[in-house]
Amino acid sequence: YSQQLNQTIGGGMSITSTGTGIMARIGLQYDDFDVENPIGSTFNSGNGFPFLDLTGQTIRLDFLANDRDLATRIELAGSGVSAYNWVIAGNQDVPFTVDIPVSLFTGNVNLAHVDLVTVYFDTRPAGDFALGSLQAVPEPTTFVVIACAAGLMFAGRKRFIK
């Protein structure tokens, strides 16, 4: 059976580097019961979700703040591996959301059966950020299709009742 990805990070996940020459790589990982070998890493068995169905989904990161540009990478693993890299702009001291549709990921993972989600954050020297939650939500086009289908069902029901 499939699970949903919706993780709240209690109090925010804060990463701070205090020196001007210090950079850090931080990884968050959501694992199932198997062993995978994502790009550049080997992770042991987890005791988390059975698998995720990320078909038509968007990965949403809710930040509390980010003071410097933050290089970010999300890896999805299962029968294959897919990844997406981008930079989150700094100088954001109010909460903000970043949405990444899984359709932008490159690779060959089966999105209907994702066993491992890993998010890497590479801070710039003296970079600080706080992450409040990570979740998978339907892509906007999925919302449109659902709304259209509901509208057609309602219209058909109205016509049938008359």
Side-chain angles (χ1 to χ4, degrees):
Y1 64 96
S2 170
Q3 290 271 127
Q4 292 207 340
L5 179 62
N6 188 352
Q7 297 296 320
T8 299
I9 301 160
M13 182 182 119
S14 294
I15 305 303
T16 304
S17 60
T18 57
T20 56
I22 297 175
M23 296 174 66
R25 171 169 258 196
I26 309 307
L28 293 177
Q29 185 177 75
Y30 300 93
D31 195 359
D32 75 337
F33 302 103
D34 299 326
V35 175
E36 301 84 6
N37 294 303
I39 300 169
S41 306
T42 300
F43 296 102
N44 294 326
S45 297
N47 56 2
F49 52 79
F51 69 89
L52 294 172
D53 182 353
L54 296 179
T55 307
Q57 299 286 304
T58 292
I59 302 295
R60 174 170 289 162
L61 301 167
D62 292 311
F63 284 87
L64 305 175
N66 179 39
D67 71 346
R68 298 196 183 229
D69 288 356
L70 182 64
T72 308
R73 175 182 180 86
I74 297 179
E75 292 180 2
L76 308 175
S79 57
V81 177
S82 294
Y84 185 73
N85 299 293
W86 78 102
V87 175
I88 297 170
N91 296 321
Q92 300 186 61
D93 58 357
V94 295
F96 64 98
T97 298
V98 176
D99 286 339
I100 301 96
V102 295
S103 58
L104 297 177
F105 285 58
T106 57
N108 61 352
V109 73
N110 176 1
L111 293 174
H113 197 101
V114 174
D115 295 324
L116 177 70
V117 177
T118 307
V119 185
Y120 295 106
F121 302 101
D122 292 319
T123 66
R124 300 294 192 251
D128 306 327
F129 73 94
L131 180 66
S133 69
L134 165 76
Q135 57 187 317
V137 298
E139 287 186 23
T141 54
T142 304
F143 281 130
V144 171
V145 170
I146 291 170
C148 288
L152 288 172
M153 286 176 24
F154 181 74
R157 182 173 178 226
K158 241 179 146 175
R159 194 174 302 153
F160 181 74
I161 291 174
K162 287 183 177 182

